[in-house]
């Protein structure tokens, strides 16, 4: 006969009222999972517990369903447990992190269990019975919990797939060998942006290396040249046909793919989900982005499929077409889109709708950069990059589609120091609220999506850090200048108060990148108008 968790709990509650610390008589297994019970070691515990552990998981290092009995409050919490002694190798899935509170938000934060998430709360009456819960309720709750647990244990852990710290060093070294001058800081921000969201915009001076960086990264991390495509955007792109093609109206059994090859790249990515694919749109703003790219932008955010044609079966473009076109396709999660932008009289400005959906990295070579280049000017040697970083490809795909909690990542950065991690998370939250208040007067404040993406960037910026002394303010600095400032444009009267307030914020918190950009925008206000984009 199987284990009845409600009966186990009844015995557990009764014994917890005594000084008996033994756990003899309790079952050892529940549906193939190990059961551990503790009433204390050497003395009666204030919070006795029952944990259920999967393979390679332990209460000292792992994640596990756990009943925590708060005897002083007459409460039992069924929690998504997280080890405090050592950092776990696995993480609870995003459904847990997003939808369930930490223990500290329900009961006074316990020293050892504060990183656990609360699934259910049960009151205990004077007769040691669960209040308002039947045995059936308890069994159903616990089985639902086990469903979350098995899903989380099955999730691949991208942090274990690569030796994370050398990734930036390896890419920086490869760039150096290929004679492409890109600072390690910019490379870190670029890759962290790709980890955060598969849409990145590169802007700045013409000839400063925007397209070369995108091309170099694709060369470096891809195994074959079928995984990336550089497409020059035309000034005559007025519809999505230039990206997605169209069904032939005269021959409805045929589909006219775009000559650029973009649809074939998307179809290849869809058939090969474990490897990254890159669509590089060169001079993306030569035409109105909203006209030719609306379907892609919508799919990036909603996850909904893009409608391609009305036929009930896939269409081909020519006999023996190896990539038939389905009636609709969901944008592959392993497809990364990088757009390069020049600003002059021939281009169009991006709308806030577009800027809000991407990280915008600005390229501005310094005097030292130009001086170093002139000492040994040479062409970029892309052939020296090809495939050197392909071992990182699968990890990039996994990471970009994985949700880990900010607190857990900050613990890793801080060598397991949970208190320091919590303080950093609280500091980030406070700083983002301050930035929201600064931008609100001109309607440039950010929404929930931006706040979430900034948090994800901080997570991956920390993950990719190579210097051993990662700083939260470095990541925040990158996000102020990449996520918040690109939408700023307007007259002196409109923008000066906000930019002055932003300048003070940058000085107070040593946000050097953002401060430099703020000063340039303030300087251009002498002409009566300023914007993030610079010609």
């Amino acid at each position: 006969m199987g284990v009845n968790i409600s009966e186990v709990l009844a015995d557990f509650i009764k014994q917890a009222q005594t000084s008996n610390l033994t756990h003899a008589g309790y079952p050892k297994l529940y549906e193939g999972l190990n059961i551990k019970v503790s009433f204390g070691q050497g003395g009666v515990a204030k919070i006795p517990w029952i944990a259920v552990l999967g393979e390679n998981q332990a209460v000292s290092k792992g994640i596990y369903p756990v009943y925590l009995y708060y005897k002083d409050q007459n409460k039992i919490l069924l929690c998504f447990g997280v080890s405090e002694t050592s950092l776990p190798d696995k993480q609870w899935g995003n459904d847990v992190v997003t939808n369930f509170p930490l223990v500290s938000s329900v009961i006074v934060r316990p020293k050892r269990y504060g990183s656990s998430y609360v699934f259910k709360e049960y009151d205990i009456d004077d007769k040691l019975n669960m209040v308002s819960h039947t045995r059936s309720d308890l069994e159903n709750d616990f089985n639902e919990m086990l469903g979350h647990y098995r899903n989380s244990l099955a999730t691949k852990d991208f942090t274990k797939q690569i030796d994370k710290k050398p990734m930036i060093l390896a890419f920086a070294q490869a760039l150096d060998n290929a004679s492409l001058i890109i600072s390690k800081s910019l490379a870190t921000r670029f890759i962290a942006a790709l980890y955060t969201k598969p849409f990145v915009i590169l802007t700045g001076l013409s000839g400063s290396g925007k397209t070369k960086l995108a091309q170099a990264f694709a060369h470096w991390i891809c195994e074959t040249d079928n995984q990336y495509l550089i497409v020059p955007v035309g000034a005559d792109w007025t519809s999505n046909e230039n990206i997605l093609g169209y069904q032939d109206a005269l021959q409805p059994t045929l589909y006219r793919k775009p000559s650029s090859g973009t649809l074939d790249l998307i179809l290849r990515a869809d058939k090969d989900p474990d490897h990254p694919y890159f669509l590089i749109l060169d001079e993306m703003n030569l035409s109105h982005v909203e006209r030719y790219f609306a379907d892609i932008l919508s799919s990036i955010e909603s996850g909904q499929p893009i409608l391609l044609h009305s036929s009930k079966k896939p269409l081909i473009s020519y006999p023996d077409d190896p990539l038939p076109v389905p009636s609709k396709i969901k944008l592959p999660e392993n497809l990364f889109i990088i757009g390069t932008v020049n600003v002059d009289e021939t281009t169009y400005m991006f709308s806030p709708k577009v800027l809000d959906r991407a990280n915008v990295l600005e390229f501005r070579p310094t005097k030292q950069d130009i001086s170093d280049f002139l000492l040994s000017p040479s062409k970029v040697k892309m052939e020296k990059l090809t495939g050197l970083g392909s071992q990182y490809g699968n990890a990039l795909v996994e990471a970009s589609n994985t949700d880990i909690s900010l607190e857990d990542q900050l613990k890793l950065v801080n060598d397991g120091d949970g208190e320091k991690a919590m303080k950093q998370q609280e500091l980030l939250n406070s700083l983002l609220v301050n930035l929201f208040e600064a931008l609100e007067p001109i309607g440039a404040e950010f929404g929930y999506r931006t706040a979430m993406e900034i948090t994800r960037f901080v997570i991956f910026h920390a993950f990719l850090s190579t210097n051993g002394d990662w700083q939260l303010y470095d990541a925040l600095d990158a996000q102020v200048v990449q996520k918040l400032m690109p939408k700023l444009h307007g007259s002196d009267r409109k923008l000066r108060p906000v930019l002055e307030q932003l300048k003070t914020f940058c000085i107070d918190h040593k946000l050097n990148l953002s401060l430099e950009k703020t000063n340039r925008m303030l300087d251009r206000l002498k002409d009566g108008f300023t914007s993030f984009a610079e010609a």
Side-chain angles (χ1 to χ4, degrees), residues 485 488 517-525 530-532:
M485 294 187 70
L488 297 182
K517 184 65 179 180
T518 303
N519 282 333
R520 290 205 307 273
M521 292 180 69
L522 280 167
D523 184 61
R524 294 203 311 279
L525 276 178
T530 193
S531 70
F532 179 88

Side-chain angles (χ1 to χ4, degrees), residues 56-76:
N56 298 321
Q57 302 300 299
V59 291
S60 60
K61 186 177 183 180
I63 59 173
Y64 42 85
V66 60
Y67 286 102
L68 301 175
Y69 183 16
Y70 289 79
K71 293 187 288 185
D72 292 344
Q73 290 90 1
N74 285 331
K75 289 180 183 293
I76 281 188

